[in-house]
Amino acid sequence: VLLRKILLRPFITIVLWVACLGGTAYFFCVLPQTFLPDGDSGAIMGGTLMPLGTSTKQACEYQARVNKVLESDPNIERTLTASGLQTGSDQSTGFIHIVLKPSGKRLPMAKALAEIRGKLSQIAGGFAFLKATPSLQISTGGESTASGSKYSYTIRGADQAKVYESATQLEKEFRAHPGFVDVQNSVKLNLPTLKATILRDRASTLGITAQDIEYALSLAYAQGKVTLYKTSIDQYQVIVELEKRYQTVPEDLARVYIRASATGKMVPLSSVMEWTEVVTPQNVPHDSQLNSGTISFNLKEGVPLGDATKFITDTAEKILPPEVVGKLQGEAEEFSDAVASLSILILIAIFIKYVILGILYESYVHPFTIITTLPVGTLGGLATLWLFHSEMSLYAYVGIFMLLGIVAKNGIMMVDFANQGLVEGKSNFDAIHDASVVRFRPILMTGLAAIMGALPIAFGYGADGSSRIPLGLVVVGGLAFSQVVTLFVTPGLFLYMQTFQEKVLDRFELTRSGSSRRET
């Protein structure tokens, strides 16, 4: 009865369809977007960062305090931490790997991660950076500049001073943003360094070469091997070095002596070398053969990646000088590219669907009638994401593609049956009305079957099921909404499209056929 009333006033269907189209565009704009949700795999990775120049002993002490906090956390089952893995003198970084307890015995991943971060932030002497490890990880090819950080933004330019200054300004802006955590900067200019200068004229007078000085320093500080002592049953490496208590203070370099070949006497190192304490860059990073700096960061729970990338782009435009350019890297870069690509891919999929249906029905009109069901289903799926405070992730886009394929079958069932009625001589009104009534049951059955199949995904069942919830929400919400609305929208649009077919296209074909016969 309701269908008949709407078919008698088909302009209502136009209003409903336009509202669905506008609602789809609106939700595409307002829904928060991300690339891959963290999910709940139960694994967390990260790292520790201490001031530059931290000794191995200090790093181990900080690592012990971190271990104590992790071992006492009720959410954690086991951990692995390591320090002293860096090559060179700087040992300011470490590694953390955490395995959480089964999901029923702990907090959800996001809350557990926030709680652990809060505890580690209270440990003095360094910083600990953590990120959830999703079950599905896509190799994004981004620069790995900071352990425990998921996203990064790289700037580069020929002028090193401007690049470093811009990187420092960006770091301050990132730290001031309430949604950013674990902000790190690859530009580190405060590594304590001992700058040594050989007094070559004085050393040459005493017969001391630079190689002699290098050899003396290696014996004093690098456990230099002197010789191999052999006995009848064994052999021993002879290694000399300064006592550990004399290896930490620069002034103790004066305790090192070198034999002067010119006089044969022992000469203190301070006689032929001067040294001073300075701060220098930890390294000189480059990207595309230009000086570069990378700001790495994580996002707080509930902060969409789309909002973060917009903030980064706007901030970079405001801060960066013309000769310094920046770009997102890793997952953030893939997110920006994916959003544009997936939107275009959806339009391509709709066009291909129209072409295939046009070949099937040998018509330009009714394939469009069927495609008009797509905004209705998409609106239902996006509105469901918004209602449950979910995000437009890669899984949600997969759900939209599934939805586009499933929802179209409602229109196909009605239009196909209505065309058969038209062939049998029924009026446009009776053909689409009877098609809607007769096909109501199979449409309802197939729709409910698809909804029931997607419900476990929407509820998050299965291993790491929470990351796939957006996919299930899109399919379930879209199908449930379209099951009702398309039963009224598609028949009304069919009447308009069929009228257009008869009064415009058919008359145009008849006119063109008549002209062809007269010319013949």
Side-chain angles (χ1 to χ4, degrees), residues 459-475:
F459 286 128
Y461 288 122
D464 194 27
S466 59
S467 62
R468 297 186 294 274
I469 287 178
L471 189 156
L473 290 177
V474 167
V475 175

Side-chain angles (χ1 to χ4, degrees), residues 108 211 433 441 514:
Q211 184 178 1
H433 180 271
R441 186 173 181 181

Side-chain angles (χ1 to χ4, degrees), residues 95-106:
F95 172 82
I96 298 176
H97 181 71
I98 298 173
V99 177
L100 300 179
K101 293 179 179 178
S103 57
K105 301 179 181 179
R106 59 168 170 85

Side-chain angles (χ1 to χ4, degrees), residues 385-408:
L385 286 178
W386 177 81
L387 184 64
F388 285 90
H389 306 287
S390 190
E391 297 177 333
M392 276 295 294
S393 64
L394 186 61
Y395 290 107
Y397 276 103
V398 172
I400 290 176
F401 281 105
M402 293 177 59
L403 190 63
L404 294 179
I406 299 174
V407 168

Side-chain angles (χ1 to χ4, degrees), residues 46-50 59 62-63 66 82-83 92-96 127-129 147:
T48 56
L49 179 64
M50 289 148 281
Y62 179 75
Q63 179 187 352
V66 170
S83 61
S92 61
T93 59
F95 172 82
I96 298 176
F127 301 93
F129 305 94
S147 176

Side-chain angles (χ1 to χ4, degrees), residues 49-53 90 92 159-169 171-172 184-193 277-285 291-295:
L49 179 64
M50 289 148 281
L52 292 180
D90 180 40
S92 61
D159 191 326
Q160 186 183 75
K162 290 186 177 180
V163 170
Y164 288 178
E165 181 183 357
S166 300
T168 303
Q169 292 177 351
E171 181 185 7
K172 292 179 181 178
Q184 303 180 58
N185 190 349
S186 67
V187 177
K188 300 176 181 179
L189 308 176
N190 57 345
L191 177 66
T193 304
E277 295 183 55
V278 297
V279 291
T280 59
Q282 182 191 31
N283 56 14
V284 183
N291 294 293
S292 69
T294 300
I295 314 299

Side-chain angles (χ1 to χ4, degrees), residues 45-49 127-131 147-149 182-184 298:
M45 295 188 67
T48 56
L49 179 64
F127 301 93
F129 305 94
L130 301 176
K131 66 175 180 179
S147 176
S149 292
D182 302 343
V183 178
Q184 303 180 58
N298 288 320

Side-chain angles (χ1 to χ4, degrees), residues 267-306:
V267 178
L269 190 61
S270 57
S271 299
V272 295
M273 190 172 71
E274 293 179 348
W275 56 85
T276 181
E277 295 183 55
V278 297
V279 291
T280 59
Q282 182 191 31
N283 56 14
V284 183
H286 285 77
D287 182 75
S288 300
Q289 299 182 350
L290 295 174
N291 294 293
S292 69
T294 300
I295 314 299
S296 303
F297 60 95
N298 288 320
L299 298 177
K300 284 186 178 180
E301 178 187 2
V303 177
L305 180 56

